[in-house]
Amino acid sequence: MNSPSMQMQPMFLILFFILCVNANPTVFNIGGVLSTNDSKLYFKDTIAHLNFDGQYVPKGITYYDTAILMDPNPIKTALNVCRHLISSRVYAVVVSHPLTGDLSPAAVSYTSGFYHIPVIGISSRDSAFSDKNIHVSFLRTVPPYSHQADVWVELLKHFNYKKVIFIHSSDTDGRAILGRFQTTSQILEDDVEIKIQVESVIEFEAGLDSFENQLQEMKTAQARVYLLYAGKRDARIIFRDAANMNMTDAGYAWITTEQALGAENVPEGILGLKLVNATNEKAHIRDSIYVLASALRDMNMNKTIQITEAPKDCDNSGSIWETGKELFQFIRKQTLMNGETGKVAFDDQGDRINAEYNVVNIQNRKRKVEEVTVGRHFFNKEFNKMMLTIEEEKIVWPGKRTVKPEGFMIPTHLKVLTIEEKPFVYVRKLAEGETCTNEEIFCPHFNATKDLDSTYCCKGYCMDLLKELSKKINFTYSLALSPDGQFGHYIIRNNSGIGKKEWTGLIGELVSEKADMIVAPLTINPERAEFIEFSKPFKYQGITILEKKPSRSSTLVSFLQPFSNTLWILVMVSVHVVALVLYLLDRFSPFGRFKLANTDGTEEDALNLSSAIWFAWGVLLNSGIGEGTPRSFSARVLGMVWAGFAMIIVASYTANLAAFLVLERPKTKLTGINDARLRNTMENLTCATVKGSSVDMYFRRQVELSNMYRTMEANNYDTAEDAIKDVKTGKLMAFIWDSSRLEFEAAQDCELVTAGELFGRSGYGIGLQKGSPWADEVTLAILDFHESGFMESLDNKWILQGNIQLCEQFEKTPNTLGLKNMAGVFILVAAGIVGGIGLIVIEMAYKKHQIKKQKRMELARHAADKWRGTVEKRKTLRTATAPQRRIKSNGVNDPATISLAVDKYSRIIGPERAWPGDSDIRHRRIEDVGAVQLGPRYLPCDVSHLIV
């Protein structure tokens, strides 16, 4: 049986093997390719002392050195790296090269980079080593020449130079420093007020023979500050030709790099840069070794990284040393706060950052050219950033001046652009042979491609301002109209994946430096201020809404407007209710006419319902009441109350009628920008502005107006003129634009009105190029114009023009009532006439019908009476013949008796009626009381034969 100790032994061996495999190396070789033996010796001593520094070297770790001299032949240098350094398993290489000569550490970088062995350069400053596609493992403790652009930007900020001309050679370093300068100046624009503009870039091929043509071009530019990157030989040619053209005298400023300062003919007054510790090779050797030791220490402390031994054979080209890649990243992340050369740190490309520079000034002292240090660019530990200090009193500028030059040449003739925008700019096309008047300025189209034969003249608010400005600050100008008729807006173009803003219109011409100034109603806003310079506002304004006044609602029932429909209905109902109550009160009152009518034959007819309605309407309409008035006290009290009610109603109606039809002014349809109909735009409400204008940009910025803007965008116009024309014709309901223009239009045409309060308040300013020398002069002149009252006089002359007072007077004057207002009343009268005629026709037809009916009744009554008479006659005859028969039978024949009977009969019957249907009232009354009719009312025949 195996004992437990024998069973445990294989486990310990396995664990020991794992620990041995995972353990990091304890010995690290560091290679060096140095320029001198002194540097080699210092390199060895530094590494020897490093082993005793516990801060950088953990216990159990030992560093060894392997150093060689750089050979002038780069091939031999590469072979020596393989033979002496890589074969010694070096973990990194520190490389230098002589300050004189063309030796380069490129061979060391290529050879070591193939195996990803980190290489730390201590003297090479060529920009080519920043390309990690070629020099994959190269770092350096010195910055490349292109990093001087960072200090240039700081210098320009300090001296307040806003416009420069950049001169550089067409090699890698020249292009690199230009790119670095442009990038750095753009980054700093967000934090500083000054924005540096490169007016011109002059690129030249190395090996110059003459620079006169380029200098001639530079002399016509405005900028007088020159940034120069050139080698020593090329700098000598440039300085020679510049001196011959007097471009190194007073008024000019030159800022150069270190190489150009090496020319023997450097002019006095030039500023240049010198890298601190640039020639101190030992200081860079020490800093590079300690940075490398810090990186190796951090790698050893990182448990997730297994450090493997470095390659030892250049012939084994198939292997890739992954530890070298990791070590490069650790070195790049190191920061040495108290290095011999200052703070040591690296950027993403492995280039040194936070390097310190001295600002030197070339001066002639005792007939000797000297480099005098006048400033420093250093790392401030307190603020943890790079800072620049300049002692300006020590500087001698070109021309032996002690005062800083302005840095630009002020041109006295300016290219001024404008745009047609009433009342600020009126444009008139000239006929053939016609010229501009004294009030006008000649203004052709700027860079026009069509309509070349047409000429124009301009006048207006801005033209008077331009004339006064030119007199005030002493410049001449040539005026031109906008080429596309627009103020301009930006469009974003993607060039190589980078969005770049490009401007059109007036702004685009100014940004591209094709013009010097814009004198127009140009609104100041952040988008434009980012690319051009603005003066102080010459007129303050805002945004408002223009619309056409709504027409009066003069309908046929306009006279009913003083009262609401409900009130009219209540009045109508009240008339008839009061009439009914009056009738009832007078009907049932003991003192009413109904009770008195039977006793007093002289009284008028009693108050019936028709008379009561007539009375109520008569009182309400204030007409005379001739008959049918109430008699009872109760009814008359109600009549007095009704009269008071009628007085109040009529007075209220009269007052409101004056308000509605005489003094009424139509209100605007919109209440302002916050009107719900604009915020939630309806199909029947169209609003618009001008494409690409400042108002358009304002709506783009306002998130709360995004819904409204999306609807507006489809309706936007190219010019304000077209939009205002459509507002007048009613095609466009609301035009949103600058308040100054819209107030002018409303003053010209009283049918137009601005709606709501101003919003988006801003001002009109003079536009100039970025860094224009005229900016301050124009601003001071405009402020002076405001104080002197000149701007107010321009307002009165061009904008107000007295028309606002006319519109206000028109608003305050009562309107004359016309047919439209009172047409309903006339129609009501016409309807009354037509109604009366219609009623009388009806009455006549009804009366005719009644007469026919009455005639039929009379005929029937006549026939009945005739029949009754015949019956009565027969009875009478029978009665009369009866006595005769008795007489005859008795033998009596007395004529007197017969005569008496006939006379009595005649007296009872009475006279005959004149109309068959007529009857005597007294006769009817006798019939009513029961009197017996003795015979017919007329004799049916002659009764004379009855007389014997």
Side-chain angles (χ1 to χ4, degrees), residues 44-64 286 289-290 293:
K44 293 177 180 291
D45 291 341
T46 302
I47 293 178
H49 285 88
L50 176 66
N51 289 317
F52 297 97
D53 193 338
Q55 180 181 355
Y56 293 93
V57 182
K59 290 182 180 181
I61 301 296
T62 305
Y63 290 98
Y64 292 97
R286 186 180 186 282
I289 290 174
Y290 274 85

Side-chain angles (χ1 to χ4, degrees), residues 152-262:
W152 280 359
V153 172
E154 294 295 329
L155 282 171
L156 294 173
K157 285 167 50 184
H158 178 83
F159 293 121
N160 198 30
Y161 287 145
K162 301 177 182 179
K163 185 175 290 190
V164 300
I165 292 179
F166 203 101
I167 310 167
H168 71 92
S169 57
S170 59
D171 54 16
T172 303
D173 286 305
R175 294 192 179 97
I177 196 170
L178 173 62
R180 180 88 177 189
F181 178 83
Q182 292 174 332
T183 302
T184 304
S185 61
Q186 289 176 0
I187 292 174
L188 292 178
E189 283 180 2
D190 297 333
D191 302 323
V192 297
E193 294 182 359
I194 178 177
K195 295 183 179 180
I196 302 168
Q197 178 186 5
V198 179
E199 182 179 4
S200 178
V201 176
I202 307 297
E203 183 176 342
F204 62 88
E205 294 289 340
L208 286 172
D209 293 328
S210 174
F211 200 69
E212 290 183 358
N213 293 335
Q214 293 90 330
L215 289 172
Q216 191 65 42
E217 178 184 347
M218 292 162 52
K219 200 167 186 177
T220 59
Q222 293 185 19
R224 289 293 183 264
V225 178
Y226 304 136
L227 303 179
L228 174 63
Y229 174 84
K232 179 179 178 180
R233 180 183 176 282
D234 293 329
R236 181 175 61 81
I237 301 299
I238 292 172
F239 290 144
R240 181 199 68 189
D241 293 345
N244 293 335
M245 299 178 66
N246 299 322
M247 294 179 67
T248 57
D249 291 341
Y252 294 86
W254 290 77
I255 301 176
T256 68
T257 55
E258 294 181 49
Q259 301 98 310
L261 292 178

Side-chain angles (χ1 to χ4, degrees), residues 159 278 293 323 336 385-386 455 499 603 626 772 833 861:
F159 293 121
T323 299
L336 196 63
K385 67 176 183 178
M386 301 299 294
T455 54
E603 286 286 345
S772 172
I833 295 173
R861 188 179 298 113

Side-chain angles (χ1 to χ4, degrees), residues 106-122:
V108 180
S109 176
Y110 292 147
T111 305
S112 302
F114 184 79
Y115 299 101
H116 293 281
I117 299 174
V119 178
I120 303 177
I122 60 174

Side-chain angles (χ1 to χ4, degrees), residues 891-946:
V892 180
N893 189 9
D894 190 359
T897 303
I898 297 173
S899 177
L900 178 61
V902 175
D903 292 339
K904 184 178 179 181
Y905 181 76
S906 299
R907 283 195 302 269
I908 293 174
I909 295 176
E912 187 179 359
R913 291 185 297 165
W915 184 261
D918 199 5
S919 63
D920 187 86
I921 296 176
R922 287 188 294 271
H923 181 68
R924 289 200 300 271
R925 285 181 181 175
I926 294 172
E927 292 174 349
D928 293 338
V929 296
V932 179
Q933 187 174 352
L934 298 179
R937 285 173 260 177
Y938 52 88
L939 295 175
C941 59
D942 190 4
V943 295
S944 60
H945 65 279
L946 295 177

